[in-house]
Amino acid sequence: MCGIFGMIGQNAVENTCRALKYLEYRGYDSAGTAYKTDGSLNIVKTVGRVEKLTEIMPETNGCNLSIGHTRWATHGKVCQENAHPFYSYGKKFAIVHNGIIENHVNLKYKLNSIGVKFLSETDSEAVAHLLEKNYSDSVFDSVLLTANELEGAFAVVATNTYDDSLYALKNKSPLVVGIADTGVYFCSDIRCISHFANKVAVVPDKTIAVATRNSVMFYGFDGNPVSVKFFTADTAQETETVDGDYMLKEILEIPDKIRQAKQGYIKSGGLNLPSKTVHRLKRIYLIGCGTAYNSGLEVAAVARKLLGIDVIPVIASEFIYDSYPVDSYTLAFLISQSGETADTIRAAERVNSLGGFTYAVTNTANSSLSFTSSVTKNIYADAEYAVASTKAYNCQLVTLTLLFADLAYLKGSIDEQTRNKIFDSIDVLPSAVDKVLEDSYQISRIAEEVKDSSAVFFIGRTADYPTAAEGSLKLKEISYIHSEAYPAGELKHGTLALMEKGVTVVAIACDSAQIDKMSLSIAEVAARGARVIAVSPYNFDNAALVKVPVVNKLLYGILSVVPLQLLAYYVAKRLGRDIDKPRNLAKSVTVE
Ligand code: F6R
């Protein structure tokens, strides 16, 4: 899973390095570029960040053709040999790839048998060798043959020594193309490409694209031309640089973004669902991965209260291959900050293919997920750069809560007054979050104790459990401390065995109906030696309290996650972790 870029035009190498910086959210294990000078291909690549690549790039004045890559390792460890681009065996082709070539073992076996030696452990290298093996007198024919030999998900950009065109092959992995006076560009996402070109198109699956300096042509894998629609994309904003960590900046933005999410929802027309779909609705899925899944889990608890029909949160990668029923009475909300997560896009495709209605809830208009869904609702969190998602989670919850309030009203399960009360209650949240942020010194102090924990368990009941799940995910991904979330009532069925001195338990206890039961759970873990921190409007014996203000009971998830985001941040900071780019992760996971 990676970011790829390719261009023909002015200052190709400099622009490729610039683009890789925008694409780094897709992976930051290694970075590299290939470019053509005096008819030969050159590759420069390195383990580490794009910044390091830029430092070692030689002068390439006048070069007008270049490809580039940022890697998140799937096949093969993180090392120089496994970094992209790859040469073909005779250095006639160089390629970058995003995706997974599922038949790479067979391809490698065949190529080995004709004497081709592989220099990396990757699945991608086979593509470069195949291009050279398949070449007789036309690069296009070689690309066509190669495209038909590949199985799996791939977006590949290839350059060669025979002609001055740039070739791209695409199936299932995202690829966009842009045209401007300055050149023609291929890229993994629209946000990056719109720094270079406004006339853009999404390359369809099973398509080959051939770019020259001023134009691009598209062909199917049968070799016949296909037409692809271009549209005008907004020019991307430059990445805002900050002193310190993006994650903290993004947490501090939450009060503003909550306001923005509500205003954006109303301005963009609210629910925007055809009334036919609303009235025949029998089943709703909330589908996402990681933090986006947790927001579905949280809002499902709210939605069940409001709607009285099945509202089922599902992890996208499970939804794709399991037999969750879908028919024309099904509505699926696909939740994704980036809109580029492969599992979520595949899940949307499954819903579409079975006749269900797909509704994207995303922070990225014009993302691959939007193009796969019937309706897209923006969450208006603005760009999120830290790998650990924070403000997007809060905005997903605001948007989904409003969507469900509207849906329940239209379906007749709540009256207008109840719907309006939910809308109005959102307005209290920014100041409630501000209060939590004002207490961040206290959370920072608690972090000092938590940082040495042997494990941290997050517990909660009903709508507090999804908050626990999100708090746990946040802590483990940036601090690397072992952490798990449990519905508090489930502890006694096994996990209680792990409670001992050195363990921390964070108890989220905002549901007033569950306070007595939560007191009991807290007493049980404290009795076994665990340190307990309660996140709640109420006091508990045996627990340090991180107090959250009282708000509408349907909205606690949006508020009580904030101290947990801060806790994860301060613990990771005290442990000296790379907060914005934690190990082994990427901001957007574009492979299944
Ligand atoms: C956690 C995190 C991930 C993402 C997940 C889905 O902090 O960021 O768990 O939430 O990879 O990403 P999107 O929302 O872009 O589909």
Side-chain angles (χ1 to χ4, degrees), residues 415-428:
D415 59 20
E416 192 174 3
Q417 208 187 352
T418 312
R419 178 243 178 230
N420 293 347
K421 200 171 148 206
I422 295 170
F423 270 63
D424 293 345
S425 314
I426 299 276
D427 299 339
V428 177

Side-chain angles (χ1 to χ4, degrees), residues 246-260:
Y246 281 103
M247 184 180 176
L248 184 60
K249 171 183 174 285
E250 288 161 4
I251 294 172
L252 297 176
E253 285 173 358
I254 289 171
D256 270 352
K257 298 307 164 196
I258 289 174
R259 282 187 205 100
Q260 208 168 293

Side-chain angles (χ1 to χ4, degrees), residues 25 247 288-294 335-342 344 361-364 369 384 386-390 392 396 470 473-474 477-478 585-589:
Y25 75 94
M247 184 180 176
C289 308
T291 289
Y293 166 72
N294 287 340
I335 312 163
S336 173
Q337 189 283 129
S338 63
E340 297 296 338
T341 300
T344 312
V361 176
T362 178
N363 200 25
T364 320
L369 182 63
E384 193 180 64
V387 162
S389 189
T390 54
Q396 282 160 354
E470 179 56 11
L473 178 64
K474 225 66 324 163
E477 71 176 322
I478 61 167
L585 300 179
K587 183 70 183 155
S588 163
V589 184

